[in-house]
């Protein structure tokens, strides 16, 4: 999952914004730092503004001229896909927990994008909503 961002130099700082996620507003003091901070800003926006607000997460649009792509970890992409599928099906966290026979804390960790979740747990959660994960490997 790659979100396009715009990076504008402002004095010593590099300011990052995203057309897809208005809430992203990150700063770095080198281009590399700005891209790193952008990834953190995107994950934070996804958790706070969308997941906590129980809103569907907008998927990334295509990169436009002058933009950079920010790669999110595969696990974050999987969690976003699961979250959006649950929103689409109107499946609550409590309902997912019942379907999986999991404690609520286990289900809640699926929405912590910075929490490492085993692939098997994500597969089980997708199965509980009638979906499965397919892996696609592409050139870096």
């Amino acid at each position: 999952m790659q979100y396009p961002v715009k990076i504008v130099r402002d004095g010593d700082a590099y300011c990052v914004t995203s057309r897809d996620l208005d809430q992203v507003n990150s700063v770095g003091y080198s281009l590399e730092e700005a891209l790193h901070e952008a990834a953190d800003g995107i994950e934070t926006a996804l958790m706070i503004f969308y997941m906590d607000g129980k809103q569907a997460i907008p998927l990334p649009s295509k990169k436009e001229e002058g933009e950079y792509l920010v790669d999110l970890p595969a696990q974050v992409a999987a969690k976003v896909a699961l979250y959006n599928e649950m929103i689409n099906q109107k499946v609550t966290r409590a309902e997912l927990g019942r379907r999986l026979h999991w404690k609520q804390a286990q289900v809640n960790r699926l929405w912590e994008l910075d929490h490492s979740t085993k692939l098997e747990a994500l597969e089980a959660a997708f199965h509980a909503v009638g979906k499965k994960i397919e892996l696609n490997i592409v050139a870096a």
Side-chain angles (χ1 to χ4, degrees):
M1 176 173 271
Q2 298 177 308
Y3 278 94
V5 296
K6 186 171 186 171
I7 299 178
V8 177
R9 189 160 186 177
D10 184 11
D12 292 339
Y14 293 82
C15 301
V16 181
T17 57
S18 170
R19 321 181 254 111
D20 298 322
L21 306 166
D22 293 340
Q23 305 84 356
V24 173
N25 189 7
S26 300
V27 176
Y29 293 96
S30 69
L31 184 57
E32 295 76 23
E33 183 182 13
L35 288 167
H36 176 77
E37 292 298 323
D40 185 55
I42 289 169
E43 287 185 31
T44 300
L46 297 180
M47 286 187 295
I48 293 174
F49 294 102
Y50 294 96
M51 295 172 125
D52 287 354
K54 297 183 174 119
Q55 296 180 35
I57 294 172
L59 297 178
S61 57
K62 294 203 184 279
K63 177 185 168 201
E64 293 181 355
E65 189 175 331
E67 291 182 323
Y68 295 84
L69 289 174
V70 176
D71 280 312
L72 296 182
Q75 185 171 97
V76 169
K79 288 182 175 192
V80 166
L82 176 63
Y83 173 81
N84 276 343
E85 186 60 36
M86 289 178 62
I87 291 288
N88 288 339
Q89 292 186 27
K90 296 180 174 58
V91 174
T92 65
R93 292 182 194 192
E95 174 59 24
L96 182 65
R98 282 190 288 278
R99 291 179 185 184
L100 292 167
H101 307 287
W102 287 3
K103 294 179 180 173
Q104 198 59 47
Q106 290 173 280
V107 175
N108 290 342
R109 283 193 292 271
L110 289 173
W111 313 135
E112 295 173 15
L113 298 181
D114 55 354
H115 180 272
S116 181
T117 302
K118 290 183 178 184
L119 182 58
E120 294 84 1
L122 287 166
E123 287 179 311
F126 273 106
H127 182 74
V129 295
K131 300 292 180 175
K132 69 177 186 169
I133 296 174
E134 286 190 356
L135 188 61
N136 185 26
I137 306 297
V138 296

